[in-house]
Amino acid sequence: MMLNISLELLLASLMVAATPILLAALGELVTEKSGVLNLGVEGMMIIGAICGFAVAVETGSTILGFIAAALGGAVLSLIFAVLTQVLMSNQVATGLALTLFGLGFSALIGQSYAGLKPPPVPELDFGPLSNLPFVGPVLFQHDAMVYVSIALVAAIWAVLRFSRVGLILRAVGENHDAAHALGYKVVRIRILAILFGGACAGLGGAYLSLVRVPQWTEGMTAGAGWIALALVVFGAWKPWRVLLGAYLFGGITVLQLNLQAAGLAVPVEILSMSPYVITILVLVVMSADRRASLNAPATLGRVFHASN
Amino acid sequence: MTDSLLTLDNLTKAYPGVVANDKVSLSIGPGEIHSLLGENGAGKSTLVKMIYGLVKPDSGRMTLHGAPYAPAEPKAARASGVAMVFQHFSLFEALDVAENIALGMEKPPPRRDLSEQIRTVSHAYGLPLDPGRRVGELSAGERQRVEIVRCLLQNPRLLIMDEPTSVLTPQEVDILFTTLRKLSAEGTAILYISHKLDEIRSLCDSATVLRLGKVVGSCIPAQSTAREMAEMMIGTSLKTPTRPAGEPGEVLLNITALDLPSTSQFGTSLRGVDLQVRAGQVVGIGGVAGNGQEELLSVISGEACVPTGHITFKGQDIGGLGPNQRRALGILSAPEERLGHAAAPDMSLVENALLTGTLRKGLSRNGFLDWTATRAFAADIIDTFDVRTPNADVAARALSGGNLQKFVIGREVLQAPTCLVVNQPTWGVDASAAAAIRQALLDLAQQGAAVVVISQDLDELLEISDLFAALNGGRLSAPRPAYGLTLDEIGLMMGGAHDMEVAHV
């Protein structure tokens, strides 16, 4: 039996499918590089999804929608930041609570938005590039956020690697006591990193509700936040590997949907779980190298308490 | 005092329940190497933290170059020309040398220039460094060079060094001192904290002695004996550990041709280790940290199991036995890392006493804990080893390093081991407490136990050991009688000063 799947369409929708997780994972990567483990990605994403959706519907502007989503995610992460950095609560428990709170709270806000359609998101116009055969639809017929997310990968990579800010961020995540002794403001730096992570997760959520789906349903992130968390770990805290992981996940998601539609004789359940299983497997193999675990920020998840 | 660089005038800092510094005054001139002496808890660390801007004094004034000096944070101190090398290295293992140094500077130059500067400066002071290497791969001596070069690149007027030599080989210490003297000749003042009085005598121009937060005296180290200084620090006369000579008995612990591959990223593999310890014998094992000390301890304590035929105790093969089975046989250990390895930081002293004492002290019955007996055991340790703590219920974390060390050693010694292995038994412990711990180890040997002391303090090893051996890169040198060994011979056994060189110029 010939499967009737167009490679062009598959690749074109891959980037769209991967962008929400990519955005969330990038934010979490920065947060974790500063030594903070925020398990609330899922909650921040869905808050971003509803905030973005609601504002876009009310104002008719998707740009305002994305801004609102970033703010919403950041505000939620601020709760986490205050609890863990100022009140020194446990990061794992607080992060889990944040996810549960985000899921519940978004459902509350979103009650009146179910079934509405958001304003359409315009494609970026690349002129003649968009009309190239094959390459055009695959690479140059997407909305701006897809390119923003890729630019963000490059920016985070460059900042972490080459800039003073990135060095300080890594230093704080590596050894907060030493950073404190050298006079760096550990708590302030971490709060900023958490807020950045929240904003990115919010953007990722809004991309789901405004572009990928696009509509609002309760619990629509469906575990995307957890996949983002896993990508950061298995991507060994490296932005380009996270991109690879996200696109792999997005690609297999789209492929299995196409296979379902094409009526492949494999149980739907197995197809549905394949993106999760394959992404994790590939990244586990990639990170099996012992040097990868070295990349983990040494004080990840540890409470910092300035003793003097 | 118009020509002094830094003057402290009546500095006072109190923490809840304790006055860390009580009206401390002192003055350091340009190019002076000034030593700060005192027992643990005498307030040395607090004092230098105030100078470095990490702690704010409650009252008192500081002047630097004749102008009022009150750094709000380390940045301000560094801007004023005050630099500090920390006792516990303030380095980032996953970052490379240049990155670590850049973090300690206000406005680091671009990476390429910085690397060049690091090469130049580190070479000029005889501390060669490769800017691109990851700090996690460096030895303790090299790590210290990173800290020192980080300070030197900022052209400090005052360099504070907190216990800099505790992890160095004698040769490395010589090179460090050459560097410090060169700095001093260039006009940089050095505030030097150390427990090692002989070093202070050879290096320092003057000394201030602190006891319980107060200045109790000052002296010219070159004109005082180590004993005089130690007695000034503790306020009473000092007892030197003694032991009547005795004949060693039968071989208790026998390690032959032991290999142990390292399990951790930065660990060392043991290679072909041979060691016999007899009853009544103290074997001292020296070597720079990270050459297999932890691994050797883990092999004896039972944390690491090895194939049969390599380690026996009283003729019985114990390679496959775990720590508790070995405790039952009488093999006890006190590892180096006090918080997290020897003691659980957040558990009380009573609970910590229980953790290793259950078996030999019979602290549990039919699976239920006997808290009354445990309390008595903890109280016994606290009394016998003079552990200064409000009570036995405080968390181990709350004790000062020296006091916790006394507790950890005391806990094992009081379980009457047949074989005891300790790593860094007096690390960070003051002179009188160190003497007490060494005496306890000697008493144990006197009673017929086999004692293995792993330490980086060579004076300590020479003082209490019968045999001395050195670990270098996971290999153990053949043990030699400790009596009559010179520091030079020991340095050679330890593998010398690696690639260190004497300062040029």
Side-chain angles (χ1 to χ4, degrees), chain B residues 111-179:
Chain B
R111 165 103 197 184
R112 198 176 304 157
D113 301 350
L114 181 64
S115 299
E116 198 45 52
Q117 278 184 29
I118 293 171
R119 281 205 189 85
T120 319
V121 171
S122 66
H123 224 72
Y125 286 93
L127 312 162
L129 275 178
D130 175 359
R133 278 186 69 193
R134 211 190 255 261
V135 166
E137 298 162 359
L138 301 182
S139 73
E142 288 172 312
R143 287 178 194 213
Q144 189 184 48
R145 283 186 230 172
V146 179
E147 293 245 16
I148 296 175
V149 169
R150 174 154 84 187
C151 292
L152 294 184
L153 280 176
Q154 306 171 70
N155 298 314
R157 306 315 303 151
L158 174 67
L159 180 63
I160 303 171
M161 305 202 82
D162 194 355
E163 303 252 0
T165 59
S166 41
V167 292
L168 304 183
T169 62
Q171 280 83 352
E172 284 173 325
V173 170
D174 284 345
I175 290 162
L176 174 68
F177 281 9
T178 314
T179 306

Side-chain angles (χ1 to χ4, degrees), chain A residues 35-83:
Chain A
V36 178
L37 182 64
N38 185 353
L39 294 183
V41 183
E42 179 87 0
M44 300 185 300
M45 273 185 96
I46 197 142
I47 285 287
I50 185 57
C51 285
F53 188 84
V55 170
V57 166
E58 300 298 340
T59 63
S61 156
T62 44
I63 294 182
L64 284 181
F66 276 114
I67 293 174
L71 285 177
V75 166
L76 192 65
S77 70
L78 185 63
I79 301 178
F80 176 84
V82 169
L83 287 172

Side-chain angles (χ1 to χ4, degrees), chain B residues 22-163:
Chain B
D22 189 2
K23 298 198 174 116
V24 174
S25 302
L26 63 88
S27 134
I28 305 169
E32 177 181 340
I33 305 185
H34 191 107
S35 160
L36 206 50
L37 285 169
E39 295 190 271
N40 295 312
K44 301 177 308 256
S45 292
T46 309
L47 188 64
V48 296
K49 277 179 184 166
M50 287 195 282
I51 301 174
Y52 192 57
L54 277 167
V55 174
K56 268 204 186 68
D58 296 337
S59 65
R61 288 183 306 127
M62 293 186 271
T63 42
L64 189 71
H65 295 301
Y69 169 69
E73 52 178 359
K75 262 182 200 161
R78 287 199 294 264
S80 312
V82 175
M84 179 159 170
V85 175
F86 291 88
Q87 174 181 13
H88 302 290
F89 301 124
S90 62
L91 295 176
F92 306 91
E93 293 200 351
L95 308 184
D96 68 27
V97 170
E99 287 174 330
N100 266 282
I101 288 176
L103 278 167
M105 300 174 78
E106 290 318 314
K107 289 194 178 59
R111 165 103 197 184
R112 198 176 304 157
D113 301 350
L114 181 64
S115 299
E116 198 45 52
Q117 278 184 29
I118 293 171
R119 281 205 189 85
T120 319
V121 171
S122 66
H123 224 72
Y125 286 93
L127 312 162
L129 275 178
D130 175 359
R133 278 186 69 193
R134 211 190 255 261
V135 166
E137 298 162 359
L138 301 182
S139 73
E142 288 172 312
R143 287 178 194 213
Q144 189 184 48
R145 283 186 230 172
V146 179
E147 293 245 16
I148 296 175
V149 169
R150 174 154 84 187
C151 292
L152 294 184
L153 280 176
Q154 306 171 70
N155 298 314
R157 306 315 303 151
L158 174 67
L159 180 63
I160 303 171
M161 305 202 82
D162 194 355
E163 303 252 0

